[in-house]
């Protein structure tokens, strides 16, 4: 059998600290420190603890050249067997086909090693972001200040430069007013359905292809309303529709070139429960009329930027551009919008049938009618969105 090391592998010496009563009674500080070596291989997506012998063998086997396993020392048989089983070494035999196929898929996607590791090992499964904030005592801004101390200053000051040049404020226009009303929505009115035409308008403005540049039969570039690294537009929109007139609640893939929806199999159980799981229990987003998974096709970006240190940044920037375009489009239409990176990627990928090596989950944004009551606090210090009951009733001057 031939073997080689997996394409991307990082070894982390991780220190774990625990309480040790004997150490304390002996006059120490009561803390026991232990170092574990963890192998991080993106094609596996799970940490694998390795010992010294396994680390040495991993370092001795090439990731690019196949060798005959019989070339290894005879006393390495047990180590070899475990590393093949875990998928850190790749074998040519049938029993190793699953790990070999995923490793080859990673190679064919031309990931930068650090980007591949970052993406694979920052994905969540079953996380509860709300419980995490509650348990850490950081649910409110005041609690964050008490627990975490003072944050870095809100706006950088380089020491009061005497040669600072004041700039004139611009005269507000309708666009300035639109920007002022842009605020993350955390209160949605699930009882009020979103009109079909308005739903289609938002998708058209934010995610649709407006033009094409056809280089050849198999090479096409799209023009959209947001910029994209290399003009590649790898970010796909996968929708969770909840409250839209004329569209059945469920999962959809948005086809940007045709401005059309492809229905997908629904997740098990109530749709709102899936939404809660998707957004890591952030209940303030759970009643959004439409949620959109921003799902990059890494294979498209990496086709041009092969093993490039900046490719992953380009994809993340595109998601930010799409988010801002959505915010402004929704605000102009009288709707609320949001984006969150606190999502359970693993569950979302499974529901939409995505392979994170080639196409993953990066963030979830959404839009819909804002609720009439602010039950969950929103950042609106200038009062552009929410006004007091007295102001709403006309009892106070503007």
């Amino acid at each position: 059998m031939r073997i080689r090391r997996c394409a991307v592998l990082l070894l982390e010496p991780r220190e774990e600290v625990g309480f040790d009563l004997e150490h304390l009674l002996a006059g120490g500080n009561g803390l026991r420190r232990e170092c574990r070596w963890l192998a991080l291989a993106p094609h596996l997506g799970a940490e694998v603890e390795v010992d010294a012998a396994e680390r040495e063998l991993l370092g001795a086997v090439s990731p690019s050249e196949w060798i005959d396993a019989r070339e290894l020392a005879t006393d390495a048989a047990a180590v070899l067997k475990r590393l093949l089983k875990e998928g850190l070494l790749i074998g040519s035999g049938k029993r190793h086909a699953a790990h070999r196929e995923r490793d080859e898929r990673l190679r064919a996607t031309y990931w930068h090693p650090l980007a591949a590791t970052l993406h694979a090992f920052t994905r969540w499964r079953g996380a509860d972001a709300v419980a995490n904030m509650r348990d850490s005592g950081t649910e409110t801004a005041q609690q964050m200040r008490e627990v975490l101390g003072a944050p870095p200053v809100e706006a950088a000051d380089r020491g009061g430069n005497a040669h600072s040049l004041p700039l004139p404020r611009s005269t507000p226009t309708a666009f300035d007013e639109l920007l002022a009303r842009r605020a993350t929505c955390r209160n949605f009115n699930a009882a009020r359905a979103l009109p079909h035409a308005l739903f289609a308008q938002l998708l058209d403005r934010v995610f649709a292809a407006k033009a094409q540049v056809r280089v050849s039969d198999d090479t096409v570039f799209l023009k959209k309303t947001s910029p994209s690294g290399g003009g590649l537009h790898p970010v796909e929109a996968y929708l969770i529709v909840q409250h839209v007139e004329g569209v059945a609640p469920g999962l959809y893939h948005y086809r940007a070139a045709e401005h059309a929806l492809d229905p997908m199999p629904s997740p098990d159980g109530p749709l709102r429960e899936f939404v809660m799981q998707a957004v890591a229990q952030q209940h303030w987003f759970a009643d959004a009329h439409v949620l959109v998974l921003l799902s990059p096709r890494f294979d498209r970006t990496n086709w041009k930027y092969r093993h490039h240190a900046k490719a992953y940044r380009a994809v993340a920037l595109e998601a930010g551009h799409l988010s801002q375009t959505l915010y402004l489009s929704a605000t102009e239409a009288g709707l609320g919008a949001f984006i969150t990176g606190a999502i359970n990627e693993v569950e979302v990928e499974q529901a939409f049938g995505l392979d994170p090596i080639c196409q993953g989950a990066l963030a979830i944004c959404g839009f819909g009618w804002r609720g009439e009551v602010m039950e969950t606090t929103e950042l609106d210090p200038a009062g552009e969105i929410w006004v007091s009951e007295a102001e709403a009733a006309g009892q106070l001057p503007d």
Side-chain angles (χ1 to χ4, degrees):
M1 179 181 63
R2 296 182 304 154
I3 63 168
R4 68 179 177 185
R5 197 173 73 226
C6 59
V8 178
L9 174 64
L10 273 69
L11 292 173
E12 177 192 354
R14 183 179 303 173
E15 182 182 70
E16 295 187 351
V17 181
F19 177 69
D20 188 331
L21 179 59
E22 293 184 2
H23 186 266
L24 180 65
L25 295 176
N29 59 10
L31 298 179
R32 173 180 44 81
R33 288 178 166 80
E34 179 182 359
C35 181
R36 301 166 58 217
W37 282 88
L38 298 172
L40 308 178
H43 74 292
L44 300 177
E47 301 172 348
V48 179
E49 186 170 0
V50 294
D51 60 23
E54 291 162 344
R55 294 199 309 270
E56 288 299 317
L57 184 56
L58 288 170
V61 177
S62 169
S64 58
E65 181 182 2
W66 291 96
I67 64 171
D68 192 318
R70 290 174 295 186
E71 296 179 17
L72 301 177
T74 56
D75 59 356
V79 176
L80 172 63
K81 182 178 180 180
R82 178 174 185 262
L83 293 179
L84 285 169
K85 179 181 178 181
E86 296 291 347
L88 297 174
L89 289 181
I90 305 300
S92 61
K94 290 184 178 180
R95 72 176 67 179
H96 310 300
H99 288 316
R100 184 173 63 252
E101 289 171 3
R102 289 197 61 77
D103 180 66
E104 290 174 350
R105 194 173 300 132
L106 184 76
R107 293 171 187 268
T109 311
Y110 305 111
W111 278 95
H112 185 278
L114 294 180
T117 307
L118 169 71
H119 180 70
F121 290 96
T122 56
R123 293 157 59 241
W124 285 0
R125 179 199 294 267
D128 186 332
V130 177
N132 291 342
M133 289 189 293
R134 183 175 59 249
D135 294 343
S136 63
T138 56
E139 291 184 277
T140 68
Q142 184 60 39
Q143 287 178 326
M144 285 191 289
R145 171 62 181 84
E146 294 173 357
V147 173
L148 304 176
V153 64
E154 68 281 3
D157 185 345
R158 299 297 297 270
N161 194 319
H163 300 289
S164 179
L165 302 176
L167 299 175
R169 291 284 183 175
S170 59
T171 302
T173 66
F175 185 67
D176 293 293
E177 294 174 0
L178 174 65
L179 291 172
R181 297 198 310 274
R182 187 214 63 79
T184 295
C185 181
R186 291 182 173 87
N187 300 272
F188 289 95
N189 184 358
R192 183 184 180 188
L194 189 67
H196 188 274
L198 194 54
F199 164 70
Q201 173 184 295
L202 264 289
L203 295 182
D204 191 18
R205 285 182 172 177
V206 181
F207 300 106
K210 300 301 182 182
Q212 297 184 2
V213 176
R214 182 171 293 278
V215 179
S216 65
D217 290 342
D218 60 0
T219 306
V220 178
F221 294 85
L222 302 178
K223 169 66 177 178
K224 298 186 180 181
T225 55
S226 296
S228 174
L232 295 167
H233 292 288
V235 177
E236 297 281 330
Y238 287 85
L239 276 57
I240 309 172
V241 176
Q242 295 196 105
H243 316 295
V244 176
E245 293 176 353
V247 182
L251 307 187
Y252 296 85
H253 173 233
Y254 177 70
R255 293 165 57 189
E258 294 82 9
H259 186 46
L261 297 178
D262 287 336
M264 302 186 70
S266 296
D268 295 332
L271 186 60
R272 192 177 185 278
E273 289 185 9
F274 170 69
V275 172
M276 283 285 285
Q277 182 75 306
V279 297
Q281 308 303 318
Q282 296 175 89
H283 52 82
W284 44 84
F285 297 140
D287 290 319
H289 298 63
V290 181
L291 297 96
V292 183
L293 170 67
L294 301 181
S295 176
R297 287 187 293 137
F298 298 111
D299 54 355
R300 182 167 173 85
T301 289
N302 294 346
W303 163 78
K304 177 179 181 180
Y305 300 113
R306 300 189 177 199
H307 310 296
H308 200 296
K310 302 295 185 182
Y312 195 79
R313 293 193 189 196
V315 172
L317 284 170
E318 180 176 336
H321 296 316
L322 289 168
S323 167
Q324 179 70 336
T325 302
L326 175 63
Y327 266 94
L328 296 181
S329 299
T331 302
E332 190 273 339
L335 305 174
F338 76 90
I339 186 170
T340 178
I343 64 175
N344 280 312
E345 291 91 343
V346 174
E347 285 86 349
V348 172
E349 290 161 355
Q350 291 173 348
F352 284 107
L354 306 175
D355 181 349
I357 288 179
C358 304
Q359 179 174 5
L362 192 60
I364 289 179
C365 55
F367 57 93
W369 293 118
R370 209 177 221 100
E372 297 180 358
V373 178
M374 186 169 61
E375 296 180 353
T376 301
T377 302
E378 295 183 11
L379 186 60
D380 183 33
E384 296 287 345
I385 305 299
W386 299 97
V387 297
S388 68
E389 293 181 3
E391 288 176 315
Q395 298 176 11
L396 294 177
D398 293 339

